[in-house]
Amino acid sequence: MSSKVIQAMYIDDDVLMAAVKKVRQENHHIEEVYTPFPVHGLDKAMGLAPTRLAITAFMYGCVGLSVAVTMMYYIMIVDWPQNIGGKPSFSFLENMPAFVPIMFEMTVFFAAHLMVITFYLRSKLWPFKEAENPDPRTTDDHFLMEVSVHGNEEELKALLLETGATEIKVTEKH
């Protein structure tokens, strides 16, 4: 299903921020904003929900900690108990201080790697994916805002020109 969008090009991030606020104030839906660098406050100005990636990082860390504890208990207590430094090999709790670095490292390992995978899947970035950038200048020094059109094309064009857009183009987005 394709939808009609207006692409407005800006040359300054401050002008873009003011334009995003004005377009949202007029109750138009902003599909996407393409910028050559992160613009502080743009996510809030667009009305995007806060990210929940920190919650998933905590859950992935808990999974890593659980795997580390289970792995160490099985390896060091059940499967192959060894007498290391006179410590008893029949008790996990008495050996836990020696296992803390391993538990920490496994927690960080799982959280970091699973977060990268989650980020790529959530962002729909996978190997050999074609770039969705509508204008190559947005990777250098221009800013582009895509606003969906719902029968108000001329009014929306006038609004975007009023906000400081240097170019306006109407396209079909698939």
Side-chain angles (χ1 to χ4, degrees), residues 83-171:
N83 186 353
I84 300 172
K87 294 181 182 175
S89 59
F90 56 83
S91 171
F92 181 76
L93 289 178
E94 291 179 18
N95 288 317
M96 186 161 337
F99 297 154
V100 169
I102 298 167
M103 292 187 292
F104 173 77
E105 292 297 330
M106 289 292 281
T107 301
V108 171
F109 177 84
F110 270 69
H113 285 80
L114 292 175
M115 281 302 297
V116 168
I117 293 168
T118 300
F119 174 76
Y120 283 146
L121 292 175
R122 182 75 180 102
S123 301
K124 297 178 183 162
L125 294 171
W126 35 77
F128 311 112
K129 183 179 186 299
E130 261 187 58
E132 295 178 4
N133 197 356
D135 193 316
R137 293 177 293 175
T138 59
T139 62
D140 186 24
D141 61 351
H142 284 70
F143 304 86
L144 187 134
M145 176 171 45
E146 282 186 348
V147 184
S148 47
V149 177
H150 298 293
N152 54 357
E153 188 174 326
E154 294 306 318
E155 170 193 329
L156 192 52
K157 279 184 182 178
L159 174 67
L160 292 170
L161 284 172
E162 179 186 315
T163 61
T166 57
E167 293 177 34
I168 293 182
K169 183 169 61 170
V170 180
T171 60

Side-chain angles (χ1 to χ4, degrees), residues 8-148:
M9 187 74 71
Y10 296 89
I11 56 172
D12 185 41
D13 58 335
D14 294 328
V15 175
L16 173 74
M17 281 294 287
V20 166
K21 290 174 184 175
K22 179 75 173 166
V23 168
R24 291 250 317 144
Q25 186 179 20
E26 297 290 328
N27 294 324
H28 295 288
H29 177 66
I30 299 173
E31 290 284 331
E32 189 66 76
V33 176
Y34 297 90
T35 63
F37 53 82
V39 177
H40 180 70
L42 185 60
D43 52 345
K44 287 187 178 85
M46 288 178 62
L48 298 177
T51 181
R52 294 184 303 264
L53 286 177
I55 297 168
T56 59
F58 176 74
M59 290 190 303
Y60 294 153
C62 290
V63 169
L65 181 64
S66 301
V67 167
V69 168
T70 305
M71 176 189 73
M72 289 182 303
Y73 178 78
Y74 179 75
I75 291 171
M76 297 299 288
I77 307 300
V78 175
D79 186 43
W80 196 265
Q82 298 176 26
N83 186 353
I84 300 172
K87 294 181 182 175
S89 59
F90 56 83
S91 171
F92 181 76
L93 289 178
E94 291 179 18
N95 288 317
M96 186 161 337
F99 297 154
V100 169
I102 298 167
M103 292 187 292
F104 173 77
E105 292 297 330
M106 289 292 281
T107 301
V108 171
F109 177 84
F110 270 69
H113 285 80
L114 292 175
M115 281 302 297
V116 168
I117 293 168
T118 300
F119 174 76
Y120 283 146
L121 292 175
R122 182 75 180 102
S123 301
K124 297 178 183 162
L125 294 171
W126 35 77
F128 311 112
K129 183 179 186 299
E130 261 187 58
E132 295 178 4
N133 197 356
D135 193 316
R137 293 177 293 175
T138 59
T139 62
D140 186 24
D141 61 351
H142 284 70
F143 304 86
L144 187 134
M145 176 171 45
E146 282 186 348
V147 184
S148 47

